[in-house]
Amino acid sequence: MAESTLGARVAELRRRRGLSQKELGAAIRRSESWVSQVERDVLPVERLSVLQRLADVLGVAVRDLRPEAAEPMAADRGDGHRPGAAVFERLRLLLTGHPALDQLFGDETDRSLARDAAVKLEELQERVDLVWQLAHESRLVDVGSSLLELIPDLEHAARSSATQRPEVLTQLSRAYQVAATAFTRQEEVDAAWIAADRALSAAEESGDALSVVAGTYRMAQAFLRLQRLEQAEQAARVSVAALAAQAASEQPRPEVLSLYGSLQLMLAVIAATDGNRTAARAGLSAARTAADRLGEGRNDFDTEFGPTGVAVHAVAVAVELGDAGEALDIARTVDVSVLSPERQARFLVDLARAHAQRRQASEALDALLTAERLTPELVHTDHRAREVVRDLLQFAGRRPADELRELAGRAAVTP
């Protein structure tokens, strides 16, 4: 059963327990049709809470259903040099257990006062905006430090005001989304999954359907980093299908187009990672159409989607497919100054990868050094940037240039 799909494992374990699909569905608060679709691998199950309920009813551990749920992050984490490791360990611990257990205890008077407490929604939103700004600058240690205070404040605020609860939950979902993004970039993919699951729960409870899609987008990012391409693709594709009708309408909401286009870009990167040129081109084409309809770059749900974002992803896709010449040709036409420092740096890393594929060592090093000036944390921790540094060291042999040797030292990279 180790090599079987999730659906096959659920079906076999259900039969072992002597349960019908209807009985299993009732036990986990889902329909018989839902169980049938899961067992046929038509419907993905990415929510940890749902996986846990399935595992409990079937009498197994979550890892028996989805082995990757318990896997550590991918290789080459670079823990020895990873900045802010202590901060992210504290943030990981914050995700453990109930987020506001103290508010469930105490006498009824205390709980009544808590429910009537004023929530400074505008201040909380500003704090979430600031954390996302830090993420766009790739200042991940500052992101982690801020979230250590912000997430508990939001969790308590969500339980302190009935009238503003939906709006607070939307901000809570955004906070968990940025936590998922930061964990993914820190190579802490299992924690990213948990944070994304929390984001989905908060979004669903808020009633904001687009926030649910945004949370799924963050989960797909974690799957992609974990090299679980099938799960990443399924999460993105289901979300694309949910938005397709709205995105194709005569006057779609800009935020719908932003999310739809961002998910198409993710599908393009997933396909390129899997070596599927046709699917990668299709994803880029669909995203380009959405960006053209927007006509400008936007940052709905912190996705930085627009025509420039599509061009940057086209470079990344070409590099992933090994088409260095195409990547360099596209890169010459792109003005990334309108993007965040983090996106600019990732573009430069892809540019360095393209040059390295052509063994243009000097140009690759220049791109990496420019990226490092923008976002040192990204270049020192991102696995792709570090792979380029390692390649350049191997190209140089025993006598690497001083700039390369010093960069390798800062990134803790050895040949």
PDB file of all heavy atoms in Angstrom, residues 189-206:
ATOM      1  N   VAL A 189       8.938  23.225   5.220  1.00  0.00           N
ATOM      2  CA  VAL A 189       7.736  22.993   4.426  1.00  0.00           C
ATOM      3  C   VAL A 189       6.616  22.365   5.244  1.00  0.00           C
ATOM      4  O   VAL A 189       5.448  22.635   5.016  1.00  0.00           O
ATOM      5  CB  VAL A 189       8.071  22.128   3.192  1.00  0.00           C
ATOM      6  CG1 VAL A 189       6.866  21.979   2.295  1.00  0.00           C
ATOM      7  CG2 VAL A 189       9.225  22.753   2.413  1.00  0.00           C
ATOM      8  N   ASP A 190       6.963  21.511   6.209  1.00  0.00           N
ATOM      9  CA  ASP A 190       5.905  20.904   7.017  1.00  0.00           C
ATOM     10  C   ASP A 190       5.175  21.956   7.841  1.00  0.00           C
ATOM     11  O   ASP A 190       3.949  21.940   7.961  1.00  0.00           O
ATOM     12  CB  ASP A 190       6.475  19.793   7.905  1.00  0.00           C
ATOM     13  CG  ASP A 190       7.645  20.247   8.757  1.00  0.00           C
ATOM     14  OD1 ASP A 190       8.252  21.288   8.422  1.00  0.00           O
ATOM     15  OD2 ASP A 190       7.969  19.566   9.751  1.00  0.00           O
ATOM     16  N   ALA A 191       5.928  22.928   8.389  1.00  0.00           N
ATOM     17  CA  ALA A 191       5.300  24.020   9.136  1.00  0.00           C
ATOM     18  C   ALA A 191       4.491  24.918   8.202  1.00  0.00           C
ATOM     19  O   ALA A 191       3.433  25.436   8.588  1.00  0.00           O
ATOM     20  CB  ALA A 191       6.359  24.842   9.870  1.00  0.00           C
ATOM     21  N   ALA A 192       4.969  25.093   6.969  1.00  0.00           N
ATOM     22  CA  ALA A 192       4.221  25.883   5.992  1.00  0.00           C
ATOM     23  C   ALA A 192       2.860  25.258   5.724  1.00  0.00           C
ATOM     24  O   ALA A 192       1.848  25.954   5.574  1.00  0.00           O
ATOM     25  CB  ALA A 192       5.015  26.002   4.692  1.00  0.00           C
ATOM     26  N   TRP A 193       2.834  23.941   5.655  1.00  0.00           N
ATOM     27  CA  TRP A 193       1.576  23.236   5.427  1.00  0.00           C
ATOM     28  C   TRP A 193       0.591  23.516   6.560  1.00  0.00           C
ATOM     29  O   TRP A 193      -0.596  23.791   6.342  1.00  0.00           O
ATOM     30  CB  TRP A 193       1.870  21.740   5.301  1.00  0.00           C
ATOM     31  CG  TRP A 193       0.714  20.905   4.826  1.00  0.00           C
ATOM     32  CD1 TRP A 193      -0.589  21.278   4.678  1.00  0.00           C
ATOM     33  CD2 TRP A 193       0.773  19.537   4.421  1.00  0.00           C
ATOM     34  NE1 TRP A 193      -1.351  20.217   4.218  1.00  0.00           N
ATOM     35  CE2 TRP A 193      -0.527  19.144   4.056  1.00  0.00           C
ATOM     36  CE3 TRP A 193       1.801  18.598   4.342  1.00  0.00           C
ATOM     37  CZ2 TRP A 193      -0.824  17.850   3.631  1.00  0.00           C
ATOM     38  CZ3 TRP A 193       1.504  17.316   3.908  1.00  0.00           C
ATOM     39  CH2 TRP A 193       0.207  16.948   3.550  1.00  0.00           C
ATOM     40  N   ILE A 194       1.081  23.453   7.800  1.00  0.00           N
ATOM     41  CA  ILE A 194       0.221  23.718   8.956  1.00  0.00           C
ATOM     42  C   ILE A 194      -0.310  25.146   8.912  1.00  0.00           C
ATOM     43  O   ILE A 194      -1.500  25.405   9.130  1.00  0.00           O
ATOM     44  CB  ILE A 194       0.990  23.472  10.267  1.00  0.00           C
ATOM     45  CG1 ILE A 194       1.371  21.991  10.400  1.00  0.00           C
ATOM     46  CG2 ILE A 194       0.160  23.915  11.476  1.00  0.00           C
ATOM     47  CD1 ILE A 194       2.309  21.702  11.542  1.00  0.00           C
ATOM     48  N   ALA A 195       0.582  26.100   8.615  1.00  0.00           N
ATOM     49  CA  ALA A 195       0.164  27.502   8.563  1.00  0.00           C
ATOM     50  C   ALA A 195      -0.867  27.720   7.456  1.00  0.00           C
ATOM     51  O   ALA A 195      -1.851  28.452   7.642  1.00  0.00           O
ATOM     52  CB  ALA A 195       1.379  28.400   8.347  1.00  0.00           C
ATOM     53  N   ALA A 196      -0.662  27.101   6.305  1.00  0.00           N
ATOM     54  CA  ALA A 196      -1.626  27.232   5.216  1.00  0.00           C
ATOM     55  C   ALA A 196      -2.969  26.634   5.595  1.00  0.00           C
ATOM     56  O   ALA A 196      -4.027  27.162   5.237  1.00  0.00           O
ATOM     57  CB  ALA A 196      -1.083  26.565   3.952  1.00  0.00           C
ATOM     58  N   ASP A 197      -2.944  25.526   6.323  1.00  0.00           N
ATOM     59  CA  ASP A 197      -4.191  24.911   6.771  1.00  0.00           C
ATOM     60  C   ASP A 197      -4.942  25.838   7.721  1.00  0.00           C
ATOM     61  O   ASP A 197      -6.159  25.984   7.642  1.00  0.00           O
ATOM     62  CB  ASP A 197      -3.879  23.578   7.452  1.00  0.00           C
ATOM     63  CG  ASP A 197      -5.137  22.791   7.766  1.00  0.00           C
ATOM     64  OD1 ASP A 197      -5.802  22.338   6.818  1.00  0.00           O
ATOM     65  OD2 ASP A 197      -5.467  22.631   8.960  1.00  0.00           O
ATOM     66  N   ARG A 198      -4.201  26.502   8.624  1.00  0.00           N
ATOM     67  CA  ARG A 198      -4.816  27.474   9.521  1.00  0.00           C
ATOM     68  C   ARG A 198      -5.409  28.641   8.714  1.00  0.00           C
ATOM     69  O   ARG A 198      -6.485  29.161   9.039  1.00  0.00           O
ATOM     70  CB  ARG A 198      -3.786  28.009  10.514  1.00  0.00           C
ATOM     71  CG  ARG A 198      -3.281  26.984  11.535  1.00  0.00           C
ATOM     72  CD  ARG A 198      -4.182  26.937  12.760  1.00  0.00           C
ATOM     73  NE  ARG A 198      -3.691  25.997  13.751  1.00  0.00           N
ATOM     74  CZ  ARG A 198      -2.874  26.318  14.762  1.00  0.00           C
ATOM     75  NH1 ARG A 198      -2.438  27.564  14.898  1.00  0.00           N
ATOM     76  NH2 ARG A 198      -2.501  25.398  15.630  1.00  0.00           N
ATOM     77  N   ALA A 199      -4.692  29.062   7.678  1.00  0.00           N
ATOM     78  CA  ALA A 199      -5.188  30.151   6.836  1.00  0.00           C
ATOM     79  C   ALA A 199      -6.499  29.764   6.168  1.00  0.00           C
ATOM     80  O   ALA A 199      -7.435  30.571   6.086  1.00  0.00           O
ATOM     81  CB  ALA A 199      -4.144  30.517   5.782  1.00  0.00           C
ATOM     82  N   LEU A 200      -6.575  28.535   5.674  1.00  0.00           N
ATOM     83  CA  LEU A 200      -7.802  28.063   5.034  1.00  0.00           C
ATOM     84  C   LEU A 200      -8.961  28.039   6.024  1.00  0.00           C
ATOM     85  O   LEU A 200     -10.079  28.440   5.700  1.00  0.00           O
ATOM     86  CB  LEU A 200      -7.574  26.666   4.461  1.00  0.00           C
ATOM     87  CG  LEU A 200      -6.789  26.584   3.147  1.00  0.00           C
ATOM     88  CD1 LEU A 200      -6.404  25.144   2.858  1.00  0.00           C
ATOM     89  CD2 LEU A 200      -7.611  27.144   2.010  1.00  0.00           C
ATOM     90  N   SER A 201      -8.706  27.560   7.227  1.00  0.00           N
ATOM     91  CA  SER A 201      -9.768  27.478   8.238  1.00  0.00           C
ATOM     92  C   SER A 201     -10.312  28.863   8.576  1.00  0.00           C
ATOM     93  O   SER A 201     -11.526  29.078   8.650  1.00  0.00           O
ATOM     94  CB  SER A 201      -9.242  26.796   9.506  1.00  0.00           C
ATOM     95  OG  SER A 201      -8.893  25.460   9.254  1.00  0.00           O
ATOM     96  N   ALA A 202      -9.397  29.829   8.795  1.00  0.00           N
ATOM     97  CA  ALA A 202      -9.825  31.185   9.132  1.00  0.00           C
ATOM     98  C   ALA A 202     -10.589  31.819   7.980  1.00  0.00           C
ATOM     99  O   ALA A 202     -11.616  32.485   8.182  1.00  0.00           O
ATOM    100  CB  ALA A 202      -8.612  32.039   9.504  1.00  0.00           C
ATOM    101  N   ALA A 203     -10.097  31.608   6.751  1.00  0.00           N
ATOM    102  CA  ALA A 203     -10.764  32.189   5.584  1.00  0.00           C
ATOM    103  C   ALA A 203     -12.161  31.622   5.402  1.00  0.00           C
ATOM    104  O   ALA A 203     -13.116  32.347   5.114  1.00  0.00           O
ATOM    105  CB  ALA A 203      -9.920  31.946   4.333  1.00  0.00           C
ATOM    106  N   GLU A 204     -12.273  30.303   5.544  1.00  0.00           N
ATOM    107  CA  GLU A 204     -13.582  29.678   5.373  1.00  0.00           C
ATOM    108  C   GLU A 204     -14.566  30.174   6.423  1.00  0.00           C
ATOM    109  O   GLU A 204     -15.732  30.446   6.128  1.00  0.00           O
ATOM    110  CB  GLU A 204     -13.436  28.162   5.451  1.00  0.00           C
ATOM    111  CG  GLU A 204     -14.697  27.408   5.099  1.00  0.00           C
ATOM    112  CD  GLU A 204     -14.468  25.912   4.955  1.00  0.00           C
ATOM    113  OE1 GLU A 204     -13.303  25.477   4.961  1.00  0.00           O
ATOM    114  OE2 GLU A 204     -15.471  25.188   4.841  1.00  0.00           O
ATOM    115  N   GLU A 205     -14.090  30.326   7.651  1.00  0.00           N
ATOM    116  CA  GLU A 205     -14.975  30.800   8.714  1.00  0.00           C
ATOM    117  C   GLU A 205     -15.361  32.264   8.511  1.00  0.00           C
ATOM    118  O   GLU A 205     -16.440  32.691   8.924  1.00  0.00           O
ATOM    119  CB  GLU A 205     -14.289  30.624  10.078  1.00  0.00           C
ATOM    120  CG  GLU A 205     -15.237  30.745  11.248  1.00  0.00           C
ATOM    121  CD  GLU A 205     -14.585  30.375  12.570  1.00  0.00           C
ATOM    122  OE1 GLU A 205     -13.446  29.862  12.564  1.00  0.00           O
ATOM    123  OE2 GLU A 205     -15.226  30.620  13.621  1.00  0.00           O
ATOM    124  N   SER A 206     -14.494  33.030   7.868  1.00  0.00           N
ATOM    125  CA  SER A 206     -14.802  34.442   7.623  1.00  0.00           C
ATOM    126  C   SER A 206     -15.863  34.615   6.541  1.00  0.00           C
ATOM    127  O   SER A 206     -16.467  35.676   6.425  1.00  0.00           O
ATOM    128  CB  SER A 206     -13.524  35.186   7.184  1.00  0.00           C
ATOM    129  OG  SER A 206     -13.198  34.892   5.834  1.00  0.00           O
TER     130      SER A 206
END
